[in-house]
PDB file of all heavy atoms in Angstrom:
ATOM      1  N   ARG W  79     136.758  47.685  62.046  1.00  0.00           N
ATOM      2  CA  ARG W  79     137.259  48.884  61.379  1.00  0.00           C
ATOM      3  C   ARG W  79     138.608  49.288  61.971  1.00  0.00           C
ATOM      4  O   ARG W  79     138.723  49.451  63.195  1.00  0.00           O
ATOM      5  CB  ARG W  79     136.260  50.038  61.554  1.00  0.00           C
ATOM      6  CG  ARG W  79     134.851  49.757  61.036  1.00  0.00           C
ATOM      7  CD  ARG W  79     134.779  49.760  59.531  1.00  0.00           C
ATOM      8  NE  ARG W  79     135.194  51.020  58.964  1.00  0.00           N
ATOM      9  CZ  ARG W  79     134.383  52.041  58.694  1.00  0.00           C
ATOM     10  NH1 ARG W  79     133.094  51.934  58.939  1.00  0.00           N
ATOM     11  NH2 ARG W  79     134.862  53.146  58.180  1.00  0.00           N
ATOM     12  N   PRO W  80     139.637  49.470  61.162  1.00  0.00           N
ATOM     13  CA  PRO W  80     140.962  49.796  61.700  1.00  0.00           C
ATOM     14  C   PRO W  80     141.034  51.161  62.381  1.00  0.00           C
ATOM     15  O   PRO W  80     141.963  51.424  63.134  1.00  0.00           O
ATOM     16  CB  PRO W  80     141.882  49.738  60.477  1.00  0.00           C
ATOM     17  CG  PRO W  80     140.997  49.859  59.298  1.00  0.00           C
ATOM     18  CD  PRO W  80     139.659  49.308  59.704  1.00  0.00           C
ATOM     19  N   GLU W  81     140.039  52.015  62.164  1.00  0.00           N
ATOM     20  CA  GLU W  81     140.031  53.316  62.835  1.00  0.00           C
ATOM     21  C   GLU W  81     139.535  53.216  64.278  1.00  0.00           C
ATOM     22  O   GLU W  81     139.602  54.195  65.024  1.00  0.00           O
ATOM     23  CB  GLU W  81     139.113  54.306  62.096  1.00  0.00           C
ATOM     24  CG  GLU W  81     139.448  54.542  60.655  1.00  0.00           C
ATOM     25  CD  GLU W  81     138.700  53.620  59.692  1.00  0.00           C
ATOM     26  OE1 GLU W  81     138.172  52.579  60.121  1.00  0.00           O
ATOM     27  OE2 GLU W  81     138.668  53.944  58.499  1.00  0.00           O
ATOM     28  N   LEU W  82     139.038  52.059  64.670  1.00  0.00           N
ATOM     29  CA  LEU W  82     138.443  51.878  65.995  1.00  0.00           C
ATOM     30  C   LEU W  82     139.159  50.781  66.769  1.00  0.00           C
ATOM     31  O   LEU W  82     139.602  49.798  66.199  1.00  0.00           O
ATOM     32  CB  LEU W  82     136.964  51.512  65.875  1.00  0.00           C
ATOM     33  CG  LEU W  82     136.073  52.516  65.169  1.00  0.00           C
ATOM     34  CD1 LEU W  82     134.671  51.941  65.002  1.00  0.00           C
ATOM     35  CD2 LEU W  82     136.026  53.819  65.930  1.00  0.00           C
ATOM     36  N   SER W  83     139.232  50.951  68.063  1.00  0.00           N
ATOM     37  CA  SER W  83     139.770  49.933  68.955  1.00  0.00           C
ATOM     38  C   SER W  83     138.702  49.558  69.968  1.00  0.00           C
ATOM     39  O   SER W  83     137.992  50.428  70.469  1.00  0.00           O
ATOM     40  CB  SER W  83     140.980  50.467  69.742  1.00  0.00           C
ATOM     41  OG  SER W  83     142.039  50.765  68.901  1.00  0.00           O
ATOM     42  N   TYR W  84     138.596  48.279  70.254  1.00  0.00           N
ATOM     43  CA  TYR W  84     137.704  47.846  71.321  1.00  0.00           C
ATOM     44  C   TYR W  84     138.496  47.859  72.618  1.00  0.00           C
ATOM     45  O   TYR W  84     139.515  47.194  72.747  1.00  0.00           O
ATOM     46  CB  TYR W  84     137.160  46.443  71.051  1.00  0.00           C
ATOM     47  CG  TYR W  84     136.367  45.914  72.221  1.00  0.00           C
ATOM     48  CD1 TYR W  84     135.097  46.408  72.484  1.00  0.00           C
ATOM     49  CD2 TYR W  84     136.896  44.968  73.079  1.00  0.00           C
ATOM     50  CE1 TYR W  84     134.368  45.966  73.561  1.00  0.00           C
ATOM     51  CE2 TYR W  84     136.173  44.511  74.162  1.00  0.00           C
ATOM     52  CZ  TYR W  84     134.907  45.014  74.404  1.00  0.00           C
ATOM     53  OH  TYR W  84     134.192  44.571  75.485  1.00  0.00           O
ATOM     54  N   ILE W  85     138.025  48.628  73.558  1.00  0.00           N
ATOM     55  CA  ILE W  85     138.646  48.686  74.878  1.00  0.00           C
ATOM     56  C   ILE W  85     137.520  48.445  75.865  1.00  0.00           C
ATOM     57  O   ILE W  85     136.617  49.273  75.998  1.00  0.00           O
ATOM     58  CB  ILE W  85     139.321  50.048  75.131  1.00  0.00           C
ATOM     59  CG1 ILE W  85     140.376  50.295  74.063  1.00  0.00           C
ATOM     60  CG2 ILE W  85     139.921  50.095  76.530  1.00  0.00           C
ATOM     61  CD1 ILE W  85     140.935  51.693  74.042  1.00  0.00           C
ATOM     62  N   GLY W  86     137.547  47.313  76.508  1.00  0.00           N
ATOM     63  CA  GLY W  86     136.448  47.005  77.395  1.00  0.00           C
ATOM     64  C   GLY W  86     136.784  45.920  78.382  1.00  0.00           C
ATOM     65  O   GLY W  86     137.898  45.400  78.412  1.00  0.00           O
ATOM     66  N   ASN W  87     135.798  45.592  79.174  1.00  0.00           N
ATOM     67  CA  ASN W  87     135.972  44.555  80.187  1.00  0.00           C
ATOM     68  C   ASN W  87     134.874  43.504  80.090  1.00  0.00           C
ATOM     69  O   ASN W  87     134.549  42.845  81.056  1.00  0.00           O
ATOM     70  CB  ASN W  87     136.007  45.174  81.588  1.00  0.00           C
ATOM     71  CG  ASN W  87     134.725  45.912  81.931  1.00  0.00           C
ATOM     72  OD1 ASN W  87     133.851  46.108  81.097  1.00  0.00           O
ATOM     73  ND2 ASN W  87     134.615  46.337  83.174  1.00  0.00           N
ATOM     74  N   VAL W  88     134.306  43.377  78.871  1.00  0.00           N
ATOM     75  CA  VAL W  88     133.222  42.426  78.641  1.00  0.00           C
ATOM     76  C   VAL W  88     133.601  41.530  77.469  1.00  0.00           C
ATOM     77  O   VAL W  88     134.053  42.009  76.431  1.00  0.00           O
ATOM     78  CB  VAL W  88     131.909  43.186  78.327  1.00  0.00           C
ATOM     79  CG1 VAL W  88     130.771  42.221  78.053  1.00  0.00           C
ATOM     80  CG2 VAL W  88     131.546  44.114  79.472  1.00  0.00           C
ATOM     81  N   ASP W  89     133.410  40.213  77.630  1.00  0.00           N
ATOM     82  CA  ASP W  89     133.746  39.288  76.557  1.00  0.00           C
ATOM     83  C   ASP W  89     132.605  39.235  75.525  1.00  0.00           C
ATOM     84  O   ASP W  89     131.545  39.836  75.737  1.00  0.00           O
ATOM     85  CB  ASP W  89     134.093  37.904  77.123  1.00  0.00           C
ATOM     86  CG  ASP W  89     132.916  37.142  77.713  1.00  0.00           C
ATOM     87  OD1 ASP W  89     131.746  37.483  77.423  1.00  0.00           O
ATOM     88  OD2 ASP W  89     133.163  36.183  78.458  1.00  0.00           O
ATOM     89  N   PRO W  90     132.811  38.540  74.402  1.00  0.00           N
ATOM     90  CA  PRO W  90     131.768  38.504  73.365  1.00  0.00           C
ATOM     91  C   PRO W  90     130.424  37.933  73.828  1.00  0.00           C
ATOM     92  O   PRO W  90     129.395  38.207  73.225  1.00  0.00           O
ATOM     93  CB  PRO W  90     132.379  37.623  72.277  1.00  0.00           C
ATOM     94  CG  PRO W  90     133.850  37.786  72.452  1.00  0.00           C
ATOM     95  CD  PRO W  90     134.049  37.920  73.940  1.00  0.00           C
ATOM     96  N   GLU W  91     130.410  37.162  74.914  1.00  0.00           N
ATOM     97  CA  GLU W  91     129.150  36.622  75.449  1.00  0.00           C
ATOM     98  C   GLU W  91     128.497  37.572  76.449  1.00  0.00           C
ATOM     99  O   GLU W  91     127.476  37.240  77.045  1.00  0.00           O
ATOM    100  CB  GLU W  91     129.397  35.263  76.120  1.00  0.00           C
ATOM    101  CG  GLU W  91     129.692  34.146  75.133  1.00  0.00           C
ATOM    102  CD  GLU W  91     131.139  34.170  74.668  1.00  0.00           C
ATOM    103  OE1 GLU W  91     132.036  34.407  75.483  1.00  0.00           O
ATOM    104  OE2 GLU W  91     131.369  33.974  73.455  1.00  0.00           O
ATOM    105  N   GLY W  92     129.118  38.737  76.687  1.00  0.00           N
ATOM    106  CA  GLY W  92     128.535  39.724  77.592  1.00  0.00           C
ATOM    107  C   GLY W  92     128.917  39.556  79.045  1.00  0.00           C
ATOM    108  O   GLY W  92     128.345  40.202  79.921  1.00  0.00           O
ATOM    109  N   LYS W  93     129.902  38.700  79.324  1.00  0.00           N
ATOM    110  CA  LYS W  93     130.336  38.477  80.709  1.00  0.00           C
ATOM    111  C   LYS W  93     131.550  39.343  81.015  1.00  0.00           C
ATOM    112  O   LYS W  93     132.441  39.522  80.167  1.00  0.00           O
ATOM    113  CB  LYS W  93     130.689  37.011  80.922  1.00  0.00           C
ATOM    114  CG  LYS W  93     129.508  36.093  80.761  1.00  0.00           C
ATOM    115  CD  LYS W  93     129.901  34.649  81.005  1.00  0.00           C
ATOM    116  CE  LYS W  93     128.691  33.764  80.786  1.00  0.00           C
ATOM    117  NZ  LYS W  93     129.015  32.526  80.138  1.00  0.00           N
ATOM    118  N   LEU W  94     131.605  39.850  82.245  1.00  0.00           N
ATOM    119  CA  LEU W  94     132.759  40.643  82.668  1.00  0.00           C
ATOM    120  C   LEU W  94     134.005  39.779  82.702  1.00  0.00           C
ATOM    121  O   LEU W  94     133.954  38.605  83.110  1.00  0.00           O
ATOM    122  CB  LEU W  94     132.530  41.227  84.062  1.00  0.00           C
ATOM    123  CG  LEU W  94     131.535  42.369  84.177  1.00  0.00           C
ATOM    124  CD1 LEU W  94     131.309  42.717  85.644  1.00  0.00           C
ATOM    125  CD2 LEU W  94     132.018  43.590  83.423  1.00  0.00           C
ATOM    126  N   TYR W  95     135.131  40.347  82.279  1.00  0.00           N
ATOM    127  CA  TYR W  95     136.403  39.642  82.418  1.00  0.00           C
ATOM    128  C   TYR W  95     136.705  39.469  83.898  1.00  0.00           C
ATOM    129  O   TYR W  95     136.463  40.371  84.691  1.00  0.00           O
ATOM    130  CB  TYR W  95     137.550  40.442  81.803  1.00  0.00           C
ATOM    131  CG  TYR W  95     137.496  40.624  80.302  1.00  0.00           C
ATOM    132  CD1 TYR W  95     138.050  41.758  79.732  1.00  0.00           C
ATOM    133  CD2 TYR W  95     136.943  39.684  79.457  1.00  0.00           C
ATOM    134  CE1 TYR W  95     138.038  41.947  78.358  1.00  0.00           C
ATOM    135  CE2 TYR W  95     136.928  39.866  78.084  1.00  0.00           C
ATOM    136  CZ  TYR W  95     137.475  41.000  77.545  1.00  0.00           C
ATOM    137  OH  TYR W  95     137.457  41.191  76.190  1.00  0.00           O
ATOM    138  N   PRO W  96     137.273  38.339  84.291  1.00  0.00           N
ATOM    139  CA  PRO W  96     137.663  38.155  85.694  1.00  0.00           C
ATOM    140  C   PRO W  96     138.776  39.140  86.068  1.00  0.00           C
ATOM    141  O   PRO W  96     139.556  39.576  85.212  1.00  0.00           O
ATOM    142  CB  PRO W  96     138.190  36.720  85.740  1.00  0.00           C
ATOM    143  CG  PRO W  96     137.766  36.070  84.471  1.00  0.00           C
ATOM    144  CD  PRO W  96     137.533  37.153  83.478  1.00  0.00           C
ATOM    145  N   VAL W  97     138.849  39.475  87.326  1.00  0.00           N
ATOM    146  CA  VAL W  97     139.912  40.343  87.809  1.00  0.00           C
ATOM    147  C   VAL W  97     141.252  39.712  87.454  1.00  0.00           C
ATOM    148  O   VAL W  97     141.446  38.507  87.627  1.00  0.00           O
ATOM    149  CB  VAL W  97     139.803  40.540  89.345  1.00  0.00           C
ATOM    150  CG1 VAL W  97     140.991  41.319  89.871  1.00  0.00           C
ATOM    151  CG2 VAL W  97     138.504  41.239  89.687  1.00  0.00           C
TER     152      VAL W  97
END
Side-chain angles (χ1 to χ4, degrees):
R79 302 287 301 269
E81 303 92 342
L82 300 174
S83 295
Y84 173 74
I85 301 169
N87 61 352
V88 179
D89 70 18
E91 288 80 41
K93 296 181 182 141
L94 287 173
Y95 294 150
V97 174

